[in-house]
Amino acid sequence: MEALTTEQKIVNAANKLFSQKGFAATKTREIADEAGINLALLNYYFGSKENLFKIVVKEKFRMLVEVMAPILSDKEIPLRDKVESITNNYTDLLLENEELPIFVLNEWSLNKEMFAEITLNARKIAQPVIENQLKESGVELSAADFITNILGLIMFPFVAKQLIISSGLVKEEEFLTFVTERKEKIKEWIVKK
Amino acid sequence: MEALTTEQKIVNAANKLFSQKGFAATKTREIADEAGINLALLNYYFGSKENLFKIVVKEKFRMLVEVMAPILSDKEIPLRDKVESITNNYTDLLLENEELPIFVLNEWSLNKEMFAEITLNARKIAQPVIENQLKESGVELSAADFITNILGLIMFPFVAKQLIISSGLVKEEEFLTFVTERKEKIKEWIVKK
DNA sequence: AAGTGATTTAAACATTTGATTAAATCACTT
DNA sequence: AAGTGATTTAATCAAATGTTTAAATCACTT
């Protein structure tokens, strides 16, 4: 049942709370309570709140990048399939981690240095492949617009979920259906027949 | 020169710092320093940090909603012109307030209650108008998808600016051109000829 | 069972933080 | 110039917060 190590309990609690409330609003005592461990163990295992935070952010961030990079860079996958695959994978990922995009993007804008390496490599590999495929498919989009649009169409509903729901555009209980149905639509919007 | 009242100085400083760093990370002493006033004046004029924050958020939020609501609800404006007008107005607004979307959306997800009233009214008026116009124009989109897409395409580059730049997809100095050129493109993407 | 190092605990520490107080200063009226 | 209320200041308060300490407990070896 309780097969988690102390370190895992802390990381799990930190994951949850940092994602929900951000770095500054999350208190070390809250993390300790959520994890069900003594406060001092946080520093014993992770040194500092900031270090724990970096671990959490990098992990979240990796989730976000690793969905996309290998798909985009693969020359064998046709463009249309890439869109489908990325849309499906991202939507599923975000449905299980709804706070992920707003958290990562927000922390990114606050802490510009932390992520540079990971993204840069991903882009360097993917960009020429995508540009080639766009040209071949006759889609008049730059790689930047292509990636911005596909990410925006997928992620924006999650980023703006509260806006969409509290405006009444989509009811809370319809949200799952809303984003699920968008999977099919996004494919059509990006790569028109 | 220095025609600002103490209250204005405080609101301006709070505006800047809350937008940059969020509620919890912004300290009352920082606001006082940035405003160049004595710390006690913050509580003298605004009662509490939280109250000051609400004033700032509501103002930011109003900026974001008021660009869109009156345009969307106007039956006289053709759909295509609405898209153009919203795209242009939002892009210009966001270029002058780059932190605005991520700040508002993030605070919104943290503080779901604060904004409900404002948005709800805007949507109630706009939604039937838009649904009508979509049908008449033969655009196969629900109002929810229409608004999500247009907002996503406009706002996402600002929300994900750091991702886009640090990946190298768009260089920092090209960002202005990037979002400016998207104005024209978004219109075409949403309402295809 | 004693010893040993890792783990856990309760308590404490030094700062930071939001807020308040009481006195000082200012602007304005009489 | 004296009086009055609004504004500003320096100092202080109590609580919260990240971290550390030293002792206690645990797991494991000899």
Side-chain angles (χ1 to χ4, degrees):
Chain A
M1 291 273 151
E2 189 71 31
L4 294 175
T5 67
T6 300
E7 278 163 288
Q8 287 170 327
K9 286 191 232 168
I10 295 174
V11 171
N12 288 350
N15 239 294
K16 175 175 170 187
L17 293 173
F18 282 142
S19 300
Q20 278 175 2
K21 319 177 16 156
F23 177 74
T26 302
K27 309 306 175 184
T28 53
R29 281 165 181 80
E30 289 181 87
I31 298 174
D33 287 350
E34 174 77 27
I37 55 102
N38 185 283
L39 173 60
L41 291 175
L42 193 153
N43 296 85
Y44 178 74
Y45 283 107
F46 296 97
S48 68
K49 176 188 173 186
E50 194 176 331
N51 191 49
L52 177 57
F53 181 70
K54 282 185 183 167
I55 291 170
V56 168
V57 169
K58 283 198 176 152
E59 174 56 29
K60 292 271 175 191
F61 178 71
R62 206 174 299 274
M63 289 171 72
L64 217 53
V65 173
E66 283 181 355
V67 167
M68 195 168 58
I71 299 175
L72 282 184
S73 335
D74 190 334
K75 289 179 191 167
E76 303 304 314
I77 308 175
L79 194 65
R80 202 179 169 79
D81 294 350
K82 285 186 177 181
V83 176
E84 181 171 2
S85 168
I86 289 174
T87 307
N88 289 338
N89 290 351
Y90 257 120
T91 302
D92 294 342
L93 171 70
L94 300 189
L95 277 171
E96 304 209 336
N97 302 270
E98 294 198 345
E99 6 53 42
L100 185 59
I102 187 100
F103 172 70
V104 170
L105 294 173
N106 188 50
E107 292 304 335
W108 208 334
S109 81
L110 297 181
N111 197 339
K112 309 186 200 329
E113 306 78 23
M114 196 186 277
F115 315 95
E117 333 93 84
I118 310 178
T119 354
L120 199 56
N121 280 329
R123 195 267 313 171
K124 274 184 183 163
I125 300 169
Q127 187 163 11
V129 179
I130 291 299
E131 250 153 17
N132 232 16
Q133 290 188 311
L134 284 166
K135 211 171 287 174
E136 282 175 6
S137 314
V139 178
E140 289 179 3
L141 279 178
S142 67
D145 277 325
F146 173 76
I147 291 172
T148 304
N149 288 359
I150 189 169
L151 286 185
L153 290 171
I154 298 167
M155 289 174 54
F156 191 76
F158 293 92
V159 174
K161 181 179 180 186
Q162 290 309 318
L163 182 152
I164 292 171
I165 285 179
S166 66
S167 74
L169 267 181
V170 174
K171 295 193 192 95
E172 176 108 52
E173 64 270 21
E174 296 169 348
F175 188 75
L176 172 62
T177 314
F178 177 61
V179 293
T180 305
E181 288 181 354
R182 283 176 64 87
K183 285 185 189 175
E184 280 302 311
K185 298 173 186 169
I186 289 172
K187 191 173 55 179
E188 302 303 322
W189 293 332
I190 297 272
V191 189
K192 298 158 205 162
K193 279 178 218 162
Chain B
M1 294 268 152
E2 188 71 31
L4 293 175
T5 68
T6 300
E7 279 163 288
Q8 287 169 329
K9 285 191 232 167
I10 295 175
V11 170
N12 288 349
N15 238 294
K16 175 175 170 185
L17 293 173
F18 282 142
S19 300
Q20 277 175 4
K21 319 178 12 156
F23 176 75
T26 301
K27 308 307 176 185
T28 53
R29 281 164 180 78
E30 289 182 86
I31 298 174
D33 287 351
E34 174 76 27
I37 54 102
N38 186 284
L39 172 61
L41 292 174
L42 193 154
N43 296 87
Y44 177 74
Y45 282 109
F46 295 97
S48 70
K49 176 189 174 186
E50 195 177 330
N51 190 50
L52 177 57
F53 180 71
K54 283 185 183 167
I55 290 170
V56 168
V57 169
K58 284 199 175 153
E59 174 54 29
K60 292 271 176 191
F61 177 70
R62 205 175 300 275
M63 289 171 71
L64 217 54
V65 174
E66 284 181 354
V67 167
M68 195 169 58
I71 299 175
L72 282 183
S73 336
D74 190 334
K75 290 179 192 167
E76 303 303 314
I77 307 175
L79 194 65
R80 203 180 169 77
D81 293 351
K82 284 185 178 181
V83 176
E84 181 170 4
S85 167
I86 288 174
T87 307
N88 289 338
N89 289 350
Y90 258 119
T91 302
D92 294 343
L93 171 69
L94 299 188
L95 277 171
E96 303 209 337
N97 301 270
E98 293 198 345
E99 5 56 40
L100 185 60
I102 187 102
F103 171 70
V104 169
L105 294 173
N106 188 50
E107 291 303 336
W108 208 334
S109 81
L110 297 181
N111 196 339
K112 309 185 200 328
E113 306 78 21
M114 198 187 276
F115 315 95
E117 332 95 83
I118 311 179
T119 354
L120 200 56
N121 281 328
R123 195 268 314 173
K124 275 184 182 162
I125 299 170
Q127 186 161 14
V129 179
I130 291 298
E131 249 152 19
N132 232 17
Q133 290 188 314
L134 285 166
K135 211 170 288 174
E136 283 174 6
S137 313
V139 178
E140 289 178 4
L141 279 178
S142 67
D145 277 325
F146 173 76
I147 291 172
T148 303
N149 289 359
I150 189 168
L151 285 185
L153 290 172
I154 297 167
M155 289 175 53
F156 191 75
F158 293 92
V159 175
K161 181 179 180 186
Q162 290 307 317
L163 181 152
I164 293 171
I165 285 179
S166 68
S167 72
L169 267 181
V170 175
K171 295 192 193 99
E172 176 110 49
E173 63 271 21
E174 296 169 348
F175 188 75
L176 172 62
T177 314
F178 177 61
V179 293
T180 305
E181 289 181 353
R182 283 176 65 87
K183 285 184 188 176
E184 280 302 310
K185 298 173 185 170
I186 289 173
K187 190 174 57 179
E188 301 305 321
W189 292 331
I190 297 273
V191 188
K192 299 159 205 160
K193 277 179 219 161

